[in-house]
Amino acid sequence: MNDQLWYKDAIIYECPVKSFRDSNGDGIGDFKGLIEKLDYLEQLGITAIWILPFFPSPLRDDGYDIKDYYTVNPIYGDIEDFRHFVAEAHRRNIKVIIELVINHSSDQHPWFQRAIKAPRDSDERNYYVWSDDPEKYKEVRIIFQDFEKSNWTWHEEAGQYYWHRFFHHQPDLNFDHPPVQEEIFRILDFWAAFGVDGFRLDAIPYLFERENSSGENLLETHDFLKKLRAYIDKNHKGVMLLAEANMWPEDSAAYFGEGDECHMNFHFPVMPRLYMGLKKMDRSPIIEILNQTPQIPENCQWATFLRNHDELTLEMVTLEDRHYMWDQYAADQRARINLGIRLRLARLMDNDRRKIELMNVLLFSLPGTPVLYYGDEIGMGDDLTQEDRNGVRTPMQWNDQINGGFSEADTSLLYLPTVPDPEYHFSKINVRKQIDDTDSLFHWTKNLIALRKQLNVLGRGDLQFIEVANKSILVFSRSYKSEKILILINLSDQQLDLRLDVTILGTNKIKELFNAHVYPIDEDKVLNLELGAWDYKWLVSG
Ligand code: GLC
Ligand code: CA
């Protein structure tokens, strides 16, 4: 198989360095701790790790506010630890994806500090986007609605307003200024030289601003991405670009270009519709959105997920659906944030193992490469008393010892407390316990990953929906070369009977992959079976 396309068959595990394991007892996870735990990730079976921003930062947006792009925040270790981490991951055949946060920097970045002191219209000032008029670009929406009133903030010393799509302490870099683009290529070179396998492009639709536009998905932004990709192909062949573009399918697919922009791209709209389908016990939201999703170039791949890391974002649903989702999944008002929900999978699924499994099976069956969020493989909970999205960034729960095995520090020193809720407390939910129990969610997830790794059809195959009478049952096939798989999903809480024509699998015997059950098929190639509440099946000819 062409290794350049590794991302098509990958299973990505998203992990904040600070949350995984603290090696030196200061209460903060670090690279040495992460290295200690790579064996665990290897055991789980994931093939790529995506680590969240680890650069020097005032940490007012979990590190997405960078003040130095060229080193490691000392609280996580040093650059040699990073180098060692990449080598240790690679030794286990785990690819490394890091963040390229280029839409904005921290206001503490020297570029910004220099810009505010530099004369208007100077090279230094122009690293960022300035205006005397806060009405400029007034069509542009505000993303962090719970926190910001405008995309412009007045800067006293500079005597001008500066532009920011996110928090006011994250000024947007000015991509119309050529030196800014050059800086980005330099940053890319720097990290690619460590052998990094991929970059997640944070908040990529917002690079440029133009009058009378939404300021999103502009042609100029796509042109820059084509340039970036050409640069990668020329200088860092095989390094993967993963776009974070929270957009409708059509606009989102544009980030693949003609196969000459990003290799991967998160599929935002499908995610909330998996939750809607489940709650409504109706497959139609899922089918509709996938039917609206354009074909993508051969060398490209969607990344799919059950939350955009720390948030179940509801940007890509109608107003009505957003309220439906809030009512159904975030009855506790504290769980609502901006245009989304800040809860973990287990809590969204009422800690019901059948529903947790079903959502994961959907994630692993639909087109795209699945991205798992750390801790979801053991069903971790969250903490709504924490601010912003911190309640889903709590320490990984390794065992029932002090601080859940995350750190030997005094508990008061932890970067965030462990989840206090008794139902999700580390004494109850932890890796050690689940490794020892072969029926645990950990082992189930591990098995799911192992199965998927044998089925290239799931990473590469096409998708065909198969119409069945009951709207709670979702049936589809995936095919790739001679490989075929039929996927059955019962979105309802009822046991349902199903009669299904399975000619497509072309044999007399059909095997279910999760339990190895073999079904006999009658002469008409009809399969009769029962699907339990929230049941799922992966069928292949066998
Ligand atoms: C992206 C990230 C989010 C971050 C924001 C600003 O949307 O997903 O976590 O807060 O960018 O950097
Ligand atoms: Ca530490």
Side-chain angles (χ1 to χ4, degrees), residues 403-427:
N403 304 322
F406 162 72
S407 169
E408 277 75 60
D410 187 289
T411 297
S412 66
L413 289 177
L414 298 190
Y415 74 93
L416 273 178
T418 54
V419 171
D421 185 338
E423 193 180 344
Y424 298 94
H425 189 260
F426 61 72
S427 55

Side-chain angles (χ1 to χ4, degrees), residues 110-123:
W111 296 334
F112 191 74
Q113 290 307 315
R114 191 177 69 182
I116 58 177
K117 293 187 177 65
R120 283 167 170 254
D121 299 323
S122 62
D123 253 17

Side-chain angles (χ1 to χ4, degrees), residues 19 374 380-381 383 390-396 415-419:
S19 310
Y374 87 99
M380 263 171 65
D383 179 1
N390 289 340
V392 296
R393 298 165 174 163
T394 60
M396 181 69 180
Y415 74 93
L416 273 178
T418 54
V419 171

Side-chain angles (χ1 to χ4, degrees), residues 61 64 104 144 166 170 200 202-203 244 308-310 389:
D61 181 23
Y64 285 94
H104 45 263
F144 284 171
F166 294 92
Q170 288 165 316
R200 170 184 177 273
D202 182 64
E244 188 208 25
N308 179 37
H309 57 133
D310 37 30
R389 291 151 282 161

Side-chain angles (χ1 to χ4, degrees), residues 12-124:
I12 302 176
Y13 187 90
E14 171 181 3
C15 183
V17 178
K18 70 159 191 277
S19 310
F20 219 49
R21 163 77 189 148
D22 168 22
S23 73
N24 63 349
D26 64 357
I28 307 168
D30 42 56
F31 276 108
K32 286 202 170 79
L34 185 54
I35 294 168
E36 273 178 42
K37 296 299 184 185
L38 282 172
D39 287 342
Y40 165 75
L41 294 178
E42 187 180 22
Q43 187 185 353
L44 181 60
I46 55 108
T47 67
I49 179 169
W50 154 28
I51 48 172
L52 301 191
F54 53 79
F55 315 97
S57 161
L59 299 177
R60 294 177 72 189
D61 181 23
D62 206 36
Y64 285 94
D65 45 333
I66 296 173
K67 70 172 187 193
D68 181 352
Y69 285 92
Y70 291 101
T71 187
V72 171
N73 189 328
I75 60 177
Y76 307 136
D78 61 26
I79 200 84
E80 287 314 311
D81 293 335
F82 177 77
R83 195 190 304 282
H84 187 199
F85 160 70
V86 175
E88 287 296 310
H90 285 169
R91 201 161 65 77
R92 294 167 176 83
N93 287 319
I94 295 175
K95 305 270 187 194
V96 174
I97 302 168
I98 70 166
E99 294 267 355
L100 199 61
V101 186
I102 59 179
N103 177 67
H104 45 263
S105 73
S106 160
D107 59 1
Q108 293 187 24
H109 196 288
W111 296 334
F112 191 74
Q113 290 307 315
R114 191 177 69 182
I116 58 177
K117 293 187 177 65
R120 283 167 170 254
D121 299 323
S122 62
D123 253 17
E124 287 80 13

Side-chain angles (χ1 to χ4, degrees), residues 215-231:
E216 306 189 353
N217 315 322
L218 296 175
L219 258 176
E220 290 82 350
T221 296
H222 286 291
D223 285 344
F224 174 74
L225 287 174
K226 288 191 203 309
K227 231 163 102 179
L228 194 67
R229 173 61 180 271
Y231 187 83

